[in-house]
Amino acid sequence: MIAAYSAHLAAVLFVLSLALMLAAPLGYRLRLWSAVTALTKVVALGVVLAALAVLGAVVSLVTGGWEVGPGTTVMLAAIIVIGGGAVLLPLRAKAVAEKAPIRDITTDVADPPALRALLPQRQAEGADGAYPGAATAAIQHANYPDLVPLRLDMPPAEAFARALASAKAMGWTIVAEDAALGRIEAYDKTLWFGFTDDVVIRLTPEAGGTRADLRSVS
């Protein structure tokens, strides 16, 4: 009795958790809620339900759920594996975000490449595009000490062409390109939620080649 009840409850909770995981990005894309709400409420509730589903599946198996039939056993095993992943992946992402709580990364914290063509859209969304400052730079240095400008052994024109080709090859949406100034502005969207990541590439002539600086703002 306990095994059957736990199996049924686990299945219901598992379906609800998956529904929430799907609703979170869909609601954000449809502008039904903000990114913060999607991550801290909708996804968070989905994670809790997934954890309860896994617990229910384990209880069912321990109390004899495997005796109900091979189909039930497979279902419970799938709930444990998939539900466990649905719990661990967000928790892992949360841990990484808490370790380095910044959303603005650049190879030049002293003079970050500025958003220009991208700025009007970001201002419309309530962001000013300004670099956060010394606190962000300190966190970046602590977590990504090897992030430095790229020195290219080629003239700026060639470096610009290669950088532009690389950006297009990665599927970024190019917003502005200026070979004379050595600037490329583009953005990309994350697959699941569709969050926008802005990218600025700045190429500067220097002795023997070109210095490439990049900035990514999410």
Side-chain angles (χ1 to χ4, degrees):
M1 183 68 178
I2 294 178
Y5 177 77
S6 296
H8 178 73
L9 180 61
V12 172
L13 292 173
F14 180 68
V15 171
L16 289 176
S17 69
L18 289 183
L20 287 171
M21 296 294 187
L22 292 172
L26 180 61
Y28 172 75
R29 287 176 180 269
L30 294 176
R31 297 297 183 261
L32 298 179
W33 46 62
S34 67
V36 173
T37 297
L39 293 173
T40 64
K41 294 183 179 180
V42 184
V43 170
L45 181 56
V47 169
V48 171
L49 294 182
L52 292 175
V54 170
L55 178 61
V58 171
V59 170
S60 180
L61 286 174
V62 170
T63 56
W66 53 273
E67 295 178 340
V68 177
T72 300
T73 302
V74 171
M75 178 194 75
L76 293 174
I79 290 175
I80 293 173
V81 174
I82 301 174
V87 173
L88 294 176
L89 288 176
L91 291 179
R92 169 62 178 166
K94 182 174 183 294
V96 172
E98 289 177 344
K99 180 182 177 183
I102 54 177
R103 61 175 186 84
D104 200 326
I105 307 289
T106 179
T107 57
D108 188 350
V109 296
D111 182 22
L115 275 66
R116 294 177 184 171
L118 291 163
L119 190 56
Q121 179 61 34
R122 299 304 153 248
Q123 290 176 329
E125 296 171 352
D128 58 14
Y131 185 70
T136 294
I139 295 174
Q140 177 181 307
H141 282 314
N143 289 276
Y144 313 107
D146 56 342
L147 189 60
V148 296
L150 182 65
R151 259 72 186 194
L152 304 172
D153 186 19
M154 62 183 71
E158 182 180 351
F160 180 88
R162 291 197 181 189
L164 183 60
S166 295
K168 291 179 177 179
M170 287 187 285
W172 296 353
T173 300
I174 307 300
V175 177
E177 52 181 282
D178 191 326
L181 294 178
R183 285 181 52 85
I184 299 171
E185 292 188 59
Y187 68 82
D188 194 17
K189 289 185 176 291
T190 60
L191 178 63
W192 189 242
F193 276 88
F195 294 146
T196 300
D197 292 332
D198 294 327
V199 181
V200 183
I201 302 173
R202 182 180 65 201
L203 302 169
T204 307
E206 64 176 14
T210 304
R211 165 176 164 160
D213 282 295
L214 290 86
R215 180 183 176 195
S216 174
V217 187
S218 62

Short mmCIF file of all heavy atoms in Angstrom, two decimals, residues 35-83:
data_model
loop_
_atom_site.label_atom_id
_atom_site.label_comp_id
_atom_site.label_asym_id
_atom_site.label_seq_id
_atom_site.Cartn_x
_atom_site.Cartn_y
_atom_site.Cartn_z
N ALA A 35 12.94 37.68 -14.92
CA ALA A 35 13.97 36.64 -14.79
C ALA A 35 14.14 36.23 -13.34
O ALA A 35 14.32 35.05 -13.02
CB ALA A 35 15.29 37.16 -15.36
N VAL A 36 14.06 37.20 -12.44
CA VAL A 36 14.20 36.91 -11.01
C VAL A 36 13.08 35.99 -10.54
O VAL A 36 13.31 35.01 -9.82
CB VAL A 36 14.21 38.21 -10.18
CG1 VAL A 36 14.19 37.89 -8.70
CG2 VAL A 36 15.44 39.05 -10.53
N THR A 37 11.86 36.30 -10.95
CA THR A 37 10.72 35.45 -10.57
C THR A 37 10.86 34.06 -11.17
O THR A 37 10.60 33.05 -10.50
CB THR A 37 9.40 36.09 -11.05
OG1 THR A 37 9.21 37.34 -10.40
CG2 THR A 37 8.21 35.18 -10.74
N ALA A 38 11.29 34.00 -12.43
CA ALA A 38 11.45 32.70 -13.09
C ALA A 38 12.43 31.82 -12.36
O ALA A 38 12.19 30.62 -12.17
CB ALA A 38 11.89 32.91 -14.54
N LEU A 39 13.54 32.41 -11.91
CA LEU A 39 14.60 31.61 -11.29
C LEU A 39 14.37 31.36 -9.80
O LEU A 39 14.58 30.24 -9.32
CB LEU A 39 15.95 32.32 -11.49
CG LEU A 39 16.45 32.41 -12.94
CD1 LEU A 39 17.70 33.27 -13.02
CD2 LEU A 39 16.72 31.04 -13.51
N THR A 40 13.96 32.38 -9.08
CA THR A 40 13.87 32.25 -7.62
C THR A 40 12.53 31.74 -7.12
O THR A 40 12.42 31.36 -5.94
CB THR A 40 14.16 33.60 -6.95
OG1 THR A 40 13.14 34.55 -7.31
CG2 THR A 40 15.52 34.13 -7.36
N LYS A 41 11.53 31.71 -7.98
CA LYS A 41 10.21 31.24 -7.54
C LYS A 41 9.74 30.03 -8.35
O LYS A 41 9.49 28.96 -7.78
CB LYS A 41 9.19 32.37 -7.62
CG LYS A 41 9.48 33.51 -6.64
CD LYS A 41 8.42 34.58 -6.69
CE LYS A 41 8.72 35.70 -5.69
NZ LYS A 41 7.69 36.77 -5.71
N VAL A 42 9.64 30.20 -9.67
CA VAL A 42 9.10 29.11 -10.49
C VAL A 42 10.06 27.92 -10.53
O VAL A 42 9.68 26.79 -10.23
CB VAL A 42 8.79 29.61 -11.91
CG1 VAL A 42 8.13 28.48 -12.72
CG2 VAL A 42 7.87 30.83 -11.89
N VAL A 43 11.32 28.19 -10.88
CA VAL A 43 12.30 27.10 -10.92
C VAL A 43 12.54 26.55 -9.52
O VAL A 43 12.65 25.32 -9.33
CB VAL A 43 13.64 27.59 -11.53
CG1 VAL A 43 14.73 26.55 -11.33
CG2 VAL A 43 13.46 27.87 -13.01
N ALA A 44 12.60 27.43 -8.53
CA ALA A 44 12.83 26.98 -7.15
C ALA A 44 11.74 26.03 -6.69
O ALA A 44 12.02 24.99 -6.07
CB ALA A 44 12.91 28.19 -6.22
N LEU A 45 10.49 26.34 -7.01
CA LEU A 45 9.39 25.45 -6.65
C LEU A 45 9.49 24.14 -7.41
O LEU A 45 9.24 23.06 -6.85
CB LEU A 45 8.04 26.12 -6.94
CG LEU A 45 6.80 25.31 -6.60
CD1 LEU A 45 6.80 24.89 -5.13
CD2 LEU A 45 5.53 26.11 -6.93
N GLY A 46 9.92 24.21 -8.66
CA GLY A 46 10.11 23.00 -9.45
C GLY A 46 11.18 22.10 -8.85
O GLY A 46 11.05 20.88 -8.83
N VAL A 47 12.24 22.72 -8.33
CA VAL A 47 13.32 21.95 -7.70
C VAL A 47 12.82 21.26 -6.44
O VAL A 47 13.13 20.08 -6.18
CB VAL A 47 14.51 22.88 -7.36
CG1 VAL A 47 15.51 22.16 -6.47
CG2 VAL A 47 15.18 23.35 -8.63
N VAL A 48 12.03 21.97 -5.65
CA VAL A 48 11.47 21.38 -4.42
C VAL A 48 10.58 20.18 -4.75
O VAL A 48 10.68 19.12 -4.12
CB VAL A 48 10.68 22.43 -3.62
CG1 VAL A 48 9.93 21.77 -2.47
CG2 VAL A 48 11.61 23.51 -3.09
N LEU A 49 9.72 20.35 -5.74
CA LEU A 49 8.83 19.25 -6.13
C LEU A 49 9.61 18.08 -6.70
O LEU A 49 9.26 16.91 -6.45
CB LEU A 49 7.80 19.74 -7.15
CG LEU A 49 6.78 20.77 -6.63
CD1 LEU A 49 5.79 21.13 -7.73
CD2 LEU A 49 6.05 20.25 -5.41
N ALA A 50 10.66 18.37 -7.45
CA ALA A 50 11.50 17.30 -7.99
C ALA A 50 12.17 16.52 -6.87
O ALA A 50 12.26 15.29 -6.91
CB ALA A 50 12.55 17.88 -8.94
N ALA A 51 12.64 17.24 -5.85
CA ALA A 51 13.28 16.57 -4.71
C ALA A 51 12.27 15.69 -3.97
O ALA A 51 12.60 14.56 -3.57
CB ALA A 51 13.85 17.63 -3.76
N LEU A 52 11.05 16.18 -3.81
CA LEU A 52 10.01 15.38 -3.15
C LEU A 52 9.64 14.17 -4.00
O LEU A 52 9.36 13.08 -3.47
CB LEU A 52 8.77 16.24 -2.89
CG LEU A 52 8.95 17.36 -1.85
CD1 LEU A 52 7.70 18.21 -1.77
CD2 LEU A 52 9.28 16.76 -0.48
N ALA A 53 9.64 14.35 -5.33
CA ALA A 53 9.35 13.23 -6.23
C ALA A 53 10.41 12.14 -6.10
O ALA A 53 10.10 10.95 -6.07
CB ALA A 53 9.25 13.73 -7.67
N VAL A 54 11.67 12.56 -6.03
CA VAL A 54 12.76 11.59 -5.87
C VAL A 54 12.61 10.86 -4.54
O VAL A 54 12.78 9.63 -4.47
CB VAL A 54 14.12 12.31 -5.93
CG1 VAL A 54 15.25 11.36 -5.53
CG2 VAL A 54 14.37 12.84 -7.35
N LEU A 55 12.29 11.60 -3.50
CA LEU A 55 12.11 10.99 -2.18
C LEU A 55 10.97 9.97 -2.22
O LEU A 55 11.09 8.86 -1.68
CB LEU A 55 11.81 12.07 -1.14
CG LEU A 55 11.54 11.57 0.29
CD1 LEU A 55 12.77 10.84 0.83
CD2 LEU A 55 11.17 12.75 1.19
N GLY A 56 9.87 10.35 -2.87
CA GLY A 56 8.74 9.43 -2.98
C GLY A 56 9.09 8.18 -3.76
O GLY A 56 8.67 7.06 -3.41
N ALA A 57 9.89 8.34 -4.82
CA ALA A 57 10.30 7.20 -5.63
C ALA A 57 11.19 6.26 -4.83
O ALA A 57 11.07 5.03 -4.92
CB ALA A 57 11.01 7.68 -6.89
N VAL A 58 12.10 6.83 -4.05
CA VAL A 58 12.99 6.00 -3.22
C VAL A 58 12.19 5.24 -2.18
O VAL A 58 12.40 4.03 -1.96
CB VAL A 58 14.05 6.89 -2.54
CG1 VAL A 58 14.83 6.07 -1.50
CG2 VAL A 58 14.99 7.47 -3.57
N VAL A 59 11.25 5.92 -1.53
CA VAL A 59 10.40 5.27 -0.53
C VAL A 59 9.61 4.13 -1.16
O VAL A 59 9.49 3.04 -0.59
CB VAL A 59 9.44 6.29 0.12
CG1 VAL A 59 8.39 5.57 0.97
CG2 VAL A 59 10.21 7.29 0.96
N SER A 60 9.08 4.36 -2.36
CA SER A 60 8.31 3.32 -3.05
C SER A 60 9.16 2.10 -3.35
O SER A 60 8.74 0.96 -3.12
CB SER A 60 7.72 3.88 -4.34
OG SER A 60 6.96 2.89 -5.02
N LEU A 61 10.37 2.33 -3.84
CA LEU A 61 11.25 1.20 -4.16
C LEU A 61 11.65 0.44 -2.90
O LEU A 61 11.68 -0.80 -2.88
CB LEU A 61 12.49 1.69 -4.90
CG LEU A 61 12.29 2.11 -6.37
CD1 LEU A 61 13.58 2.70 -6.92
CD2 LEU A 61 11.85 0.92 -7.20
N VAL A 62 11.96 1.17 -1.85
CA VAL A 62 12.39 0.54 -0.60
C VAL A 62 11.27 -0.30 0.02
O VAL A 62 11.52 -1.37 0.61
CB VAL A 62 12.88 1.60 0.40
CG1 VAL A 62 13.11 0.98 1.78
CG2 VAL A 62 14.17 2.24 -0.10
N THR A 63 10.05 0.17 -0.14
CA THR A 63 8.91 -0.53 0.48
C THR A 63 8.26 -1.55 -0.45
O THR A 63 7.18 -2.06 -0.16
CB THR A 63 7.84 0.49 0.93
OG1 THR A 63 7.45 1.31 -0.18
CG2 THR A 63 8.38 1.37 2.05
N GLY A 64 8.92 -1.81 -1.60
CA GLY A 64 8.42 -2.87 -2.47
C GLY A 64 7.79 -2.42 -3.76
O GLY A 64 7.10 -3.21 -4.43
N GLY A 65 8.01 -1.20 -4.14
CA GLY A 65 7.44 -0.70 -5.38
C GLY A 65 7.88 -1.47 -6.60
O GLY A 65 7.16 -1.58 -7.60
N TRP A 66 9.06 -2.08 -6.52
CA TRP A 66 9.57 -2.85 -7.65
C TRP A 66 8.74 -4.11 -7.89
O TRP A 66 8.78 -4.70 -8.97
CB TRP A 66 11.02 -3.25 -7.39
CG TRP A 66 11.23 -3.93 -6.07
CD1 TRP A 66 11.46 -3.32 -4.87
CD2 TRP A 66 11.19 -5.33 -5.81
NE1 TRP A 66 11.59 -4.25 -3.86
CE2 TRP A 66 11.43 -5.50 -4.42
CE3 TRP A 66 10.99 -6.44 -6.60
CZ2 TRP A 66 11.45 -6.75 -3.81
CZ3 TRP A 66 11.03 -7.69 -6.01
CH2 TRP A 66 11.25 -7.85 -4.63
N GLU A 67 7.92 -4.50 -6.88
CA GLU A 67 7.11 -5.69 -7.03
C GLU A 67 5.83 -5.42 -7.82
O GLU A 67 5.14 -6.36 -8.24
CB GLU A 67 6.74 -6.25 -5.66
CG GLU A 67 7.94 -6.76 -4.86
CD GLU A 67 7.55 -7.26 -3.49
OE1 GLU A 67 6.44 -6.86 -3.03
OE2 GLU A 67 8.31 -8.03 -2.89
N VAL A 68 5.47 -4.15 -7.98
CA VAL A 68 4.24 -3.80 -8.70
C VAL A 68 4.33 -4.22 -10.15
O VAL A 68 3.36 -4.67 -10.76
CB VAL A 68 3.97 -2.29 -8.59
CG1 VAL A 68 2.73 -1.90 -9.40
CG2 VAL A 68 3.81 -1.89 -7.13
N GLY A 69 5.50 -4.10 -10.74
CA GLY A 69 5.69 -4.48 -12.12
C GLY A 69 6.89 -3.78 -12.71
O GLY A 69 7.36 -2.77 -12.16
N PRO A 70 7.42 -4.30 -13.83
CA PRO A 70 8.60 -3.70 -14.45
C PRO A 70 8.37 -2.26 -14.90
O PRO A 70 9.27 -1.43 -14.85
CB PRO A 70 8.90 -4.63 -15.63
CG PRO A 70 7.59 -5.31 -15.91
CD PRO A 70 6.94 -5.47 -14.58
N GLY A 71 7.14 -1.96 -15.33
CA GLY A 71 6.84 -0.60 -15.77
C GLY A 71 6.97 0.40 -14.64
O GLY A 71 7.52 1.50 -14.80
N THR A 72 6.49 0.03 -13.47
CA THR A 72 6.58 0.90 -12.30
C THR A 72 8.03 1.07 -11.87
O THR A 72 8.46 2.16 -11.50
CB THR A 72 5.76 0.31 -11.13
OG1 THR A 72 4.39 0.20 -11.52
CG2 THR A 72 5.87 1.21 -9.90
N THR A 73 8.77 -0.01 -11.92
CA THR A 73 10.19 0.05 -11.55
C THR A 73 10.95 1.01 -12.46
O THR A 73 11.75 1.84 -11.99
CB THR A 73 10.83 -1.34 -11.62
OG1 THR A 73 10.12 -2.24 -10.77
CG2 THR A 73 12.29 -1.28 -11.20
N VAL A 74 10.71 0.91 -13.76
CA VAL A 74 11.36 1.80 -14.72
C VAL A 74 10.97 3.24 -14.47
O VAL A 74 11.80 4.15 -14.49
CB VAL A 74 11.01 1.39 -16.16
CG1 VAL A 74 11.52 2.44 -17.15
CG2 VAL A 74 11.61 0.03 -16.49
N MET A 75 9.66 3.46 -14.19
CA MET A 75 9.19 4.82 -13.93
C MET A 75 9.87 5.41 -12.70
O MET A 75 10.33 6.56 -12.72
CB MET A 75 7.67 4.81 -13.72
CG MET A 75 7.08 6.18 -13.39
SD MET A 75 5.40 6.10 -12.77
CE MET A 75 5.69 5.48 -11.09
N LEU A 76 9.94 4.63 -11.64
CA LEU A 76 10.55 5.12 -10.41
C LEU A 76 12.04 5.40 -10.60
O LEU A 76 12.57 6.39 -10.09
CB LEU A 76 10.35 4.10 -9.29
CG LEU A 76 8.90 3.90 -8.84
CD1 LEU A 76 8.80 2.76 -7.84
CD2 LEU A 76 8.34 5.19 -8.25
N ALA A 77 12.71 4.53 -11.34
CA ALA A 77 14.13 4.75 -11.61
C ALA A 77 14.33 6.02 -12.43
O ALA A 77 15.27 6.80 -12.18
CB ALA A 77 14.71 3.55 -12.36
N ALA A 78 13.45 6.24 -13.41
CA ALA A 78 13.54 7.46 -14.24
C ALA A 78 13.31 8.70 -13.39
O ALA A 78 13.99 9.73 -13.57
CB ALA A 78 12.52 7.39 -15.37
N ILE A 79 12.37 8.63 -12.46
CA ILE A 79 12.10 9.77 -11.58
C ILE A 79 13.33 10.08 -10.74
O ILE A 79 13.70 11.25 -10.56
CB ILE A 79 10.88 9.48 -10.68
CG1 ILE A 79 9.60 9.48 -11.51
CG2 ILE A 79 10.78 10.53 -9.56
CD1 ILE A 79 8.36 9.09 -10.73
N ILE A 80 13.98 9.05 -10.23
CA ILE A 80 15.16 9.26 -9.40
C ILE A 80 16.30 9.89 -10.21
O ILE A 80 16.95 10.85 -9.76
CB ILE A 80 15.62 7.94 -8.77
CG1 ILE A 80 14.58 7.45 -7.76
CG2 ILE A 80 16.99 8.09 -8.10
CD1 ILE A 80 14.86 6.07 -7.21
N VAL A 81 16.53 9.37 -11.42
CA VAL A 81 17.64 9.86 -12.24
C VAL A 81 17.35 11.27 -12.77
O VAL A 81 18.15 12.20 -12.59
CB VAL A 81 17.92 8.90 -13.41
CG1 VAL A 81 18.97 9.51 -14.35
CG2 VAL A 81 18.41 7.55 -12.88
N ILE A 82 16.20 11.43 -13.44
CA ILE A 82 15.87 12.72 -14.05
C ILE A 82 15.57 13.76 -12.97
O ILE A 82 16.01 14.92 -13.05
CB ILE A 82 14.68 12.58 -15.01
CG1 ILE A 82 15.03 11.58 -16.12
CG2 ILE A 82 14.32 13.94 -15.62
CD1 ILE A 82 13.87 11.28 -17.05
N GLY A 83 14.80 13.35 -11.96
CA GLY A 83 14.48 14.28 -10.87
C GLY A 83 15.72 14.70 -10.11
O GLY A 83 15.87 15.86 -9.73
#
